[in-house]
């Protein structure tokens, strides 16, 4: 997915007239942000979550090290949580076998008896278990003013957890100036995640939208247990002005309406501000509808816990506007320890349901204690950052049509509860007669018509505000049960149709999509398919695109290909990624300067080719304002194209070249030094030369280590320099160091992130043109563990302090491996080269 970012969407309160004027659906004051890097651990080219444990896999010849356990530890630096990898040898933690002849089974670290159940010490501290219900769960938070500069500043937070993605929407009820960031804190006030605004914003009311991707399991566990807090920071209060604990929403996705409750008493002299949240769902019993209310009050009942056994509470529902009218009054006794007030509004009338759906009801909670306090709020439709969209195609019509027509529609809920719509259609075969929003099927195949927007239709567009919604429409919108149908003179039942679907917030899809239809082809292609495309350009002049096709009939599989070009002559044509079923998403780099210029000044053509239509089945015009034609040459020559990294991008720049995390390469200054990229840091190691036992050694050209002067090929003995000279083009290529090695030469392999390993020896086998690597076997020591040590940090095997007679031997198997630097010490052979290599 394209790098995520936070938008501060400034929603100015607007009252729409009954006439469907042109209403912009795009939120005002969009602010883009750059997120902090993923707080995990990078090891061997892989990124691990906080709390993860694993056995490192070093590849050939070592494979998985079952006696080494690595863990991604959580550490705090300046209130920010980061990850640190710690690896240790766990062989000493193995339980003592109870039999005389234990065996070591494949894939295990500890020896066991044949009848003994195996217990891996690496699993003694397991990972945080996944909650089986965590694939989708909703949370809420009441954010109160912790700065005490205003009488009443409250915000309501909506949080939706989908797998490892947390989408959040924070609605501020009162003025809040200069919002700079959103933070997520743990119980110790450490900042687990933060998203910063690019510049301060100010507005009378606003909605903060964002997505936290790759949330670690340890944070999910804290989220489920109420251990996370959400904080809004401002320029005046960088440590936070609004703050609230995140709780599990008991109503989950059934919540339809809500109210933020404000206290009628100033709290400037108290340590904690008070307020409340009301969450409302609907329940239907036959034709009778009931409302379920959950009221959560903050910092209210706690003060009465030692004074009263029960607290009298009166809840009043009133109609707003004009003369206030009390609709429902409920009296109850609340236990101070009770966290939730739950009540049921039985058998609501149709008029009461309409008032509820049109945000014309208010809720009042009167707490009758020693200090009487009342909390008030307007009941509103659940207002999150969810985008409601529909893609219209002939293939999705009630009776499928193939005319090349298509359309797209966006819906949102206004501050006053009105349903705002914007619909764009193209290529209709005859005049449009109806643009209806439709609900569920009533009976005998009849579909309930909610409203007809055709009066607001002009030149392919219909825009306006729908004020006459009922609870049925609100429920249908939030549960993806509304449809848009466009009828024409030729197709009275509908030429194109699409389902309105709620999508969690995605910054890259916040704009109105570009429409792709067969009617834009020359000549027109009569196809039931239509498409939507979102195109954006980042600072590095890279094009990010997402394309979705709709109305595909039959088994057409992955037969579609997207292309982009400047004009109908298909100059500067560029193929994009092929489709996975009906979707294509990716990033295009190296786009020509002419394409950027055409996209900025006029348009470029985005076209979808298929097997049936290799010259194009649908297409559309795309315009994206950019300045890439001015900065193109500068960007092509710049070595700072890594300034804007993806969320989990830990690449390195070495000698004006970018390397991915975990990549390794030969130093530009010394061919006997290998470097690797380790979490955005370049670490270099000088090659370790194996011990040469022969008397006559030679140093071959291009080799870093000396070798024996004579080698046997099995038939005759040859001089190694002569052999290397004759067979220079037939040596061995070793993938790990990306080098050619002469026949019969030996070397220790380079294994990032550990560096060169003295515990293995690789050789170029004469006559076979292949590399053979073997691992060292350390002899059994007779001294105690306290007397075992390494004379040099790079030694593979331990030796006894009193008597050092042990030396490594080379074999095809390794029964014990203790020479890994992360497990037993730090490799002091690492050097800093040219200012680019770091000591570790």
């Amino acid at each position: 997915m394209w790098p995520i970012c936070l938008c501060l969407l400034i929603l100015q309160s607007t009252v729409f007239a009954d006439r469907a004027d042109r209403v912009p659906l795009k939120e005002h004051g969009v602010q883009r942000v750059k997120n902090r890097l993923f707080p995990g651990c990078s090891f061997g080219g892989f990124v691990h979550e906080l709390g993860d444990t694993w056995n490192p896999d070093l590849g050939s010849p070592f494979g998985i090290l079952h006696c080494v356990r690595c863990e991604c530890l959580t550490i705090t630096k300046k209130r920010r949580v980061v990850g640190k990898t710690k690896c240790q040898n766990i062989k000493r933690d193995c339980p003592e076998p109870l039999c005389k002849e234990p065996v070591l089974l494949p894939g295990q670290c500890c020896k066991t008896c044949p009848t003994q159940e195996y217990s891996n010490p690496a699993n003694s501290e397991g990972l945080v278990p996944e909650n089986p219900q965590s694939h989708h769960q909703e949370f809420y938070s009441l954010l109160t003013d912790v700065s005490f500069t205003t009488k009443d500043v409250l915000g309501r937070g909506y949080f939706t957890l989908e797998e490892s993605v947390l989408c959040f929407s924070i609605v501020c009820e009162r003025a809040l100036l200069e919002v700079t960031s959103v933070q997520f804190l743990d119980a110790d006030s450490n900042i687990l995640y933060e998203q910063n605004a690019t510049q301060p914003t100010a507005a009378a009311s606003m909605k903060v939208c964002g997505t936290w991707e790759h949330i670690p399991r340890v944070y999910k566990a804290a989220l489920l247990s109420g251990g996370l807090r959400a904080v809004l920071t401002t320029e005046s209060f960088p440590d936070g002005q609004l703050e609230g604990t995140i709780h599990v929403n008991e109503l989950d996705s059934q919540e339809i309406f809500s109210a933020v409750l404000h206290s009628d008493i100033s709290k400037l002299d108290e340590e904690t501000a008070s307020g409340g949240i009301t969450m409302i769902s609907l329940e239907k019993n036959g034709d009778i509808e009931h409302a379920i209310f959950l009221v959560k009050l903050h910092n209210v009942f706690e003060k009465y816990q030692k004074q009263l056994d029960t607290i009298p509470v009166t809840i009043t529902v009133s109609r707003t506007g004009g003369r206030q009218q009390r609709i429902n009054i409920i009296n109850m006794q609340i236990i101070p320890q009770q966290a939730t007030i739950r009540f049921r509004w039985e058998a609501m009338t149709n008029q009461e349901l309409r008032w509820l759906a049109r945000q014309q009801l208010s809720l009042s909670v009167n707490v009758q204690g020693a200090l009487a306090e009342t909390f008030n709020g307007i009941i509103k439709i659940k207002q999150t950052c969810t985008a409601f969209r529909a893609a219209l195609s002939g293939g999705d019509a009630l009776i499928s049509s193939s005319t090349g027509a298509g359309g797209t529609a966006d819906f949102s809920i206004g501050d006053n509860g009105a349903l705002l719509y914007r619909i764009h259609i193209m290529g209709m075969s005859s005049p449009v007669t109806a643009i209806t929003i439709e609900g569920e099927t009533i009976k005998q195949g009849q579909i309930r018509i909610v409203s007809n927007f055709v009066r607001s239709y002009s030149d392919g567009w219909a825009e306006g505000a729908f004020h006459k919604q009922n609870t049925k429409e609100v429920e249908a919108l939030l549960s993806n049960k509304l449809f848009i149908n466009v009828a024409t003179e030729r197709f009275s039942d509908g030429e194109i149709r699409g389902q309105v679907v709620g999508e969690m917030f995605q910054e890259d899809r916040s704009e109105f999509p570009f429409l792709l239809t067969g009617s834009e082809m020359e000549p027109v292609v009569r196809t039931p398919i239509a498409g939507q495309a979102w195109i954006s350009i980042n600072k590095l002049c890279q094009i990010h695109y997402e394309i979705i096709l709709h109305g595909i009939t039959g088994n057409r599989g992955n037969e579609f290909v997207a292309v982009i070009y400047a004009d109908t002559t298909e100059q500067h044509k560029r193929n994009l990624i092929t489709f996975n079923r009906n979707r294509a998403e990716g990033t295009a780099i190296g786009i020509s300067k002419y394409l950027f210029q055409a996209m900025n000044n006029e348009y470029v053509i985005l076209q979808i080719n298929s097997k049936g239509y290799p010259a194009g089945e649908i297409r559309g015009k795309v315009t994206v304002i950019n300045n890439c034609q001015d900065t193109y040459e500068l960007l092509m020559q710049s070595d700072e194209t890594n300034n804007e990294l993806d969320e989990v991008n830990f690449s390195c720049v070495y000698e004006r070249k970018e390397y991915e995390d975990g990549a390794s390469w030969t130093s530009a200054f010394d061919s006997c030094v290998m470097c690797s990229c380790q979490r955005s840091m370049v670490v270099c190691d000088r090659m370790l030369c194996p011990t040469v036992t022969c008397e006559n050694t030679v140093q071959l050209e291009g080799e870093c280590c000396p070798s024996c002067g004579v080698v046997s090929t099995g038939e005759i003995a040859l001089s190694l320099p002569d052999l290397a000279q004759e067979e220079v083009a037939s040596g061995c290529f070793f993938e790990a160091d990306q080098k050619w090695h002469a026949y019969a030469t030996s070397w220790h392999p380079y294994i990032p992130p550990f560096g060169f390993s003295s515990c293995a020896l690789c050789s170029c086998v004469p006559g076979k043109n292949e590399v053979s690597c073997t691992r060292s076997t350390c002899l059994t020591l007779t001294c105690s563990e306290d007397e075992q040590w390494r004379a040099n940090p790079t030694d593979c095997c331990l030796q006894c302090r009193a008597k050092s007679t042990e030396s490594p031997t080379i074999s095809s198997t390794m029964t014990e491996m203790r020479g890994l630097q992360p497990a037993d010490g730090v490799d002091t052979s690492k050097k800093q080269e040219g200012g680019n290599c770091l000591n570790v």
Side-chain angles (χ1 to χ4, degrees), residues 662-677:
S664 58
W665 64 94
T666 303
S667 167
F669 304 100
D670 190 340
S671 61
C672 295
V673 173
M674 289 293 296
C675 300
S676 64
C677 179

Side-chain angles (χ1 to χ4, degrees), residues 71 108 120 169 184 226 319 339 346 458 491 602 606 631 636 662 715 784-785 796 809 816 823:
E71 182 179 5
Q108 297 180 2
N120 191 344
S169 312
F184 291 86
R319 186 189 175 192
E346 299 280 356
S458 177
F491 295 89
E602 296 178 357
L606 178 61
T631 60
M636 292 300 103
E715 298 179 356
S784 64
E785 292 184 356
C796 176
T809 61
E816 181 179 25

